[in-house]
Amino acid sequence: MKHPVDQIPPFGQLAALGVQHVLAMYAGAVAVPLIVGSAMHMSQADIGYLIHADLLVSGVATLIQCLGLWRFGVRMPLMQGCTFTAVTPMVLIGTTGGGLTAIYGAVIVSGLLMIVLSPLWGKLLRFFPPLVTGTVITIIGVSLLPVAANWAAGGVGAPSFGAPRNVALAVGVLLIVVVVQRFAPPVLSRIAVLVGIVLGTVVAIPMGFTDFSGVSDANVLGISTPFHFGFPTFEVAAIVSMVVVMLVTMTETTGDILAIGELVDKPVDARTLGDGLRADGLSTFLGGVFNTFPYTAFSQNVGLIGLTGVRSRYVVAFAGGILVVLGLFPVLGEIIAAIPQPVLGGAGIAMFGTVAASGIRTLSKVSFGESWNLVVVAISIGIGMLPIGAPGIYAKFPNWFRTIMESGISAGAIAAVALNLLFNHLGRVKSR
């Protein structure tokens, strides 16, 4: 029999599950171009162009990652989107270091370098035992929960942020997800998040939560052409900062790939990891060519797979196809963008919590007897939570340091690898 990862569900189930994945990641997918474009004071038309270019390349990147293209792609259910790690460096490059063309030059170089480094990075897999992977997966899940909390409160910057009705709507969606997951037939329970989002949106419409004004203003058809904003320029400082982002992204993607391997019961070897990272590099290169930004795996969709139990890579590939269509028809993307933030927040609590729970499950394989492993987990999670609990803690540090440490995932991953080497490899110290 085929492994569940390689099985194709019936079309109806395939489509519903694919839509569910798109809804789970859409807000995060459009956030990066929106933030960068706004920081550079671009026009609404140009920001819209960035968004639908991002959706198009996100879809292509997801298809490459799930279906594979020669040695590109992990061939597991991994959803791709623009990485938030690159936001701050790109804003600095765009506003003070050469503009949008310098961003794209740096993105292209970093993508090519990622392709070159990916097979070497795959050889480091032995430094990611369950102790490290479980810790990193737990950090990924916990670090995403504040995102769900902000959505549930109405979205950062919203005038009604924290209003009781926002939280009530989020809690209602979460309850729907729980009830469907517990009492509905298996076919329906697998799309519990989709059911929660749809019903939550339907309830939100008469309550005034939704705004469809952007639909009438959106273009019906939009095709992203290479180098729309001009040919890339290659500034040394911009390239160096983006290479640092690329190294951080490779660390985060490694955690996501290992998490997916755990969830779908398909162990990841050095070649598989290298192929997944190589696909990230190719997608990032394409991003620089087609007017968008660096790409990585989206952790929220990792949680969705754990929640639904559906392991088919073709489900996520179908979601990638939907993203391509949304990129070609911006008007469809505006319809999805009208889903209220509290609705996404209720679903996000379930999804992101599932990622953290998966990390805890992986850590259950680790011996915590008289070993140093408890110290490794404790300090790594502590370091990973610092920028989340105190977002401005590194505000006065150099930009290269902030790029690495302001991502709780990369900071925690680096700490976990270093502490595991210190306690379990150097001198093979096993106990006090």
Side-chain angles (χ1 to χ4, degrees), residues 25-184:
M25 62 87 68
Y26 188 86
V30 302
V32 173
L34 187 60
I35 293 169
V36 174
S38 300
M40 294 180 63
H41 305 291
M42 298 176 69
S43 67
Q44 281 299 116
D46 283 344
I47 291 175
Y49 194 97
L50 289 179
I51 289 173
H52 79 247
D54 171 36
L55 292 172
L56 176 64
V57 179
S58 289
V60 173
T62 300
L63 289 168
I64 293 172
Q65 196 69 273
C66 293
L67 302 180
L69 180 67
W70 186 56
R71 292 295 304 277
F72 296 87
V74 73
R75 291 172 173 81
M76 287 196 283
L78 211 60
M79 201 86 180
Q80 301 289 107
C82 279
T83 174
F84 283 86
T85 307
V87 168
T88 300
M90 288 194 300
V91 169
L92 291 173
I93 295 168
T95 54
T96 63
L100 199 57
T101 56
I103 293 176
Y104 291 142
V107 169
I108 288 171
V109 172
S110 63
L112 292 174
L113 187 59
M114 189 181 295
I115 293 173
V116 173
L117 290 180
S118 57
L120 302 176
W121 195 277
K123 295 183 185 302
L124 301 177
L125 192 60
R126 65 191 183 93
F127 298 116
F128 289 85
L131 173 65
V132 173
T133 58
T135 302
V136 173
I137 296 167
T138 302
I139 293 172
I140 290 171
V142 175
S143 66
L144 286 170
L145 285 171
V147 176
N150 286 326
W151 286 348
V156 176
S160 63
F161 185 86
R165 72 183 202 134
N166 291 342
V167 178
L169 179 58
V171 171
V173 171
L174 180 59
L175 289 175
I176 292 171
V177 172
V178 171
V179 169
V180 173
Q181 190 82 28
R182 174 62 181 86
F183 297 106

Side-chain angles (χ1 to χ4, degrees), residues 150-218:
N150 286 326
W151 286 348
V156 176
S160 63
F161 185 86
R165 72 183 202 134
N166 291 342
V167 178
L169 179 58
V171 171
V173 171
L174 180 59
L175 289 175
I176 292 171
V177 172
V178 171
V179 169
V180 173
Q181 190 82 28
R182 174 62 181 86
F183 297 106
V187 172
L188 196 59
S189 67
R190 290 171 181 164
I191 56 170
V193 172
L194 176 60
V195 173
I197 291 174
V198 170
L199 292 181
T201 303
V202 169
V203 171
I205 291 174
M207 297 174 64
F209 278 95
T210 53
D211 179 11
F212 291 98
S213 60
V215 177
S216 59
D217 298 331

Side-chain angles (χ1 to χ4, degrees), residues 13 28 39 77 80-81 111 144 162 179 188 193 213 225 227 234 260 265 308 317 329 335 377 411 415 417 424:
Q13 187 178 354
Q80 301 289 107
L144 286 170
V179 169
L188 196 59
V193 172
S213 60
T225 55
F227 309 122
F234 301 93
I260 281 289
D265 194 25
T308 63
F329 297 93
I335 294 174
V377 175
V417 171
N424 293 323

Side-chain angles (χ1 to χ4, degrees), residues 310-325:
V310 177
R311 296 179 278 177
S312 172
R313 60 192 171 110
Y314 294 100
V315 167
V316 177
F318 191 93
I322 295 174
L323 289 177
V324 171
V325 173

